[in-house]
Amino acid sequence: MKNILVTGGAGFIGSAFVRHMVEKYPHYTIIVLDKLTYAGNTDNLLPVHDEPNYRFERGDIADAVTVKRVLEHYQVDAIVNFAAESHVDRSIMSSHAFLDTDVIGVYVLLEQARALGITRFHQVSTDEVYGWLAEGDFKETDTLQPNNPYSAAKAGGEMMVRAYHVTHGMYTTITRGSNTYGPYQYPEKMMPLFITEAIDDRPLPVYGDGKQVRDWLHVDDHARAIDLVLHVGAAGEVYNVGGENEQHNIDVTHRLLQLLGKPKTLIRHVADRPGHDRRYAVDCTKIRALGWQRNDDFESLLAQTVAWYQRNEWWWRKIKTGEYLEFYKQQYAQRLADAQA
Ligand code: NAD
Ligand code: DAU
């Protein structure tokens, strides 16, 4: 592998992967292809901007002409696809963009790669494709039962990856990651939303009873897992990547408030997310066998994450304007008004 195309590399996890790869593999060229949707942000890539083995192209993975041009121009050897519409609440408001990118976009990437004889393809997927379970954990062989339009679209993308492996012999791999947290996460997701809202003494909208369980994985552990699977993962295989760190949402919320020195009175229990998955958990035996280990110090990683948002207001304050405020109003205004009534 020499020239690696990272689609969606200007997003939260994609940019962490790019920063990691550019530094670790100076003999590779890392090319980002990103549409720069509302979630894409070239500020996330400032740390690698001047590195000689980094390139950036703006474009849509669902646009075959652009994809073909970029693959040919950089003589790409491998594709790692992070590009996606990634927020469950937005998929409930409107699903079309999720199908365009998370299903059609994956197909276009696969087909253009196949046509040019590029066989290495890694798809970044999610533990949400399994649905939820009350006890135990999901194995890679379990049935996919996605419950919201986002996870259904991600499952659709995965099925195309599987088909291109079986039918066309492409060397594909898939990782199914759990809830990821850390620096540079768009402040629509629970952790950065609650941290940045609490900094401004604004209410934190906890959905329902807050007893839902998420399995928190640090973004650098997630990026290292994808690097590992890209290099030593077996063709056609799927690997769970979990934090093995289950937390109730309400407990995470309390901890964030403690770290920020803010009162619990900021918490509002608001109307629940429709179809809200109650609990996620994945078995990570398979990726551990490849040599992956997560950092298990959630307490200090959480504290570092909070400190990053405190130190980097320049990064998130300019995001929380314009379209963001429209989304915020649509998602939360009525919920918060009802919660206060
Ligand atoms: P994100 O929303 O922060 O970033 C997505 C990136 O993809 C943005 O830079 C955006 O501009 C780009 N993009 C969107 N549509 C595009 C298109 N059509 N063409 C090119 N670029 C496009 O997402 P994230 O949280 O970093 O997630 C990255 C990947 O990891 C996604 O595939 C997501 O499903 C998966 N994942 C996320 C998590 C999580 O907790 N955030 C966990 C497991 C898996
Ligand atoms: O599990 C992996 C998935 O994790 C990824 O595939 C998704 O891309 C990513 O967005 C994330 O999905 P979630 O829906 O779990 O993440 P989110 O941050 O939106 O929500 C985390 C939990 O917090 C969830 O139970 C819903 C709850 N929540 C979220 C928001 C935004 C609230 O209670 N209030 C909120 O305002």
Side-chain angles (χ1 to χ4, degrees):
M1 261 183 279
K2 287 200 306 274
N3 303 321
I4 302 180
L5 183 70
V6 182
T7 54
F12 166 50
I13 311 172
S15 67
F17 179 76
V18 170
R19 295 190 301 269
H20 164 84
M21 296 293 283
V22 165
E23 186 187 348
K24 184 171 171 191
Y25 302 105
H27 53 295
Y28 289 177
T29 300
I30 307 297
I31 307 111
V32 171
L33 173 64
D34 199 295
K35 188 177 175 181
L36 296 182
T37 66
Y38 78 92
N41 186 347
T42 49
D43 284 349
N44 303 357
L45 294 164
L46 284 176
V48 292
H49 186 266
D50 296 325
E51 297 300 329
N53 61 334
Y54 162 74
R55 307 279 186 280
F56 182 86
E57 291 275 348
R58 184 171 190 176
D60 186 341
I61 62 164
D63 173 7
V65 174
T66 299
V67 170
K68 181 172 188 287
R69 178 184 63 75
V70 171
L71 292 176
E72 283 181 328
H73 179 75
Y74 293 99
Q75 300 185 336
V76 167
D77 303 298
I79 300 171
V80 182
N81 180 35
F82 289 89
E85 288 294 331
S86 69
H87 193 41
V88 173
D89 291 326
R90 288 186 191 252
S91 81
I92 295 167
M93 280 178 190
S94 172
S95 309
H96 205 289
F98 288 75
L99 294 170
D100 285 344
T101 294
D102 303 11
V103 183
I104 301 291
V106 177
Y107 155 71
V108 170
L109 283 177
L110 287 163
E111 179 54 21
Q112 294 307 311
R114 186 196 65 78
L116 291 171
I118 300 164
T119 58
R120 190 69 186 92
F121 189 97
H122 179 77
Q123 170 71 1
V124 180
S125 190
T126 168
D127 62 358
E128 291 203 16
V129 294
Y130 293 116
W132 68 274
L133 81 182
E135 286 174 2
D137 48 24
F138 287 116
K139 319 276 181 283
E140 287 85 351
T141 46
D142 285 341
T143 313
L144 304 193
Q145 293 189 305
N147 291 319
N148 58 64
Y150 160 70
S151 53
K154 290 296 289 186
E158 277 203 29
M159 293 301 103
M160 287 309 290
V161 174
R162 178 186 158 86
Y164 269 67
H165 168 66
V166 175
T167 304
H168 297 300
M170 280 182 68
Y171 194 126
T172 63
T173 46
I174 295 172
T175 43
R176 294 185 183 139
S178 69
N179 277 69
T180 306
Y181 70 100
Y184 300 103
Q185 185 170 28
Y186 192 85
E188 65 189 351
K189 307 286 168 31
M190 185 192 92
M191 270 224 207
L193 174 71
F194 285 9
I195 295 167
T196 57
E197 293 291 274
I199 287 173
D200 284 345
D201 300 305
R202 288 166 52 84
L204 309 189
V206 171
Y207 294 154
D209 63 4
K211 294 284 176 58
Q212 305 85 1
V213 173
R214 292 295 182 268
D215 173 21
W216 293 99
L217 168 69
H218 192 268
V219 67
D220 293 339
D221 289 340
H222 198 160
R224 281 190 303 100
I226 294 166
D227 171 7
L228 183 69
V229 171
L230 179 67
H231 286 92
V232 302
E237 293 296 318
V238 178
Y239 298 87
N240 288 337
V241 187
E244 296 171 314
N245 172 34
E246 291 180 42
Q247 308 278 344
H248 288 112
N249 290 342
I250 193 69
D251 295 336
V252 173
T253 308
H254 287 156
R255 194 72 197 105
L256 294 175
L257 288 170
Q258 262 175 0
L259 285 164
L260 288 160
K262 299 288 181 176
K264 284 186 187 173
T265 49
L266 288 180
I267 294 174
R268 302 283 187 284
H269 286 274
V270 300
D272 209 348
R273 173 186 279 175
H276 198 168
D277 286 336
R278 195 72 181 163
R279 174 176 172 268
Y280 298 139
V282 288
D283 180 325
C284 299
T285 311
K286 192 168 168 184
I287 192 166
R288 281 184 181 285
L290 293 185
W292 178 77
Q293 277 191 318
R294 68 191 165 80
N295 183 330
D296 61 5
D297 192 355
F298 181 59
E299 270 303 306
S300 75
L301 292 172
L302 193 66
Q304 282 171 34
T305 299
V306 168
W308 189 88
Y309 289 93
Q310 285 178 307
R311 277 198 318 274
N312 290 283
E313 293 195 10
W314 70 272
W315 182 84
W316 56 265
R317 285 214 184 273
K318 59 183 171 185
I319 293 173
K320 288 185 142 190
T321 55
E323 190 276 346
Y324 178 91
L325 294 179
E326 282 306 307
F327 162 76
Y328 182 89
K329 199 168 130 198
Q330 204 181 336
Q331 180 65 19
Y332 296 110
Q334 193 59 51
R335 278 186 161 90
L336 286 167
D338 292 346
Q340 280 158 358

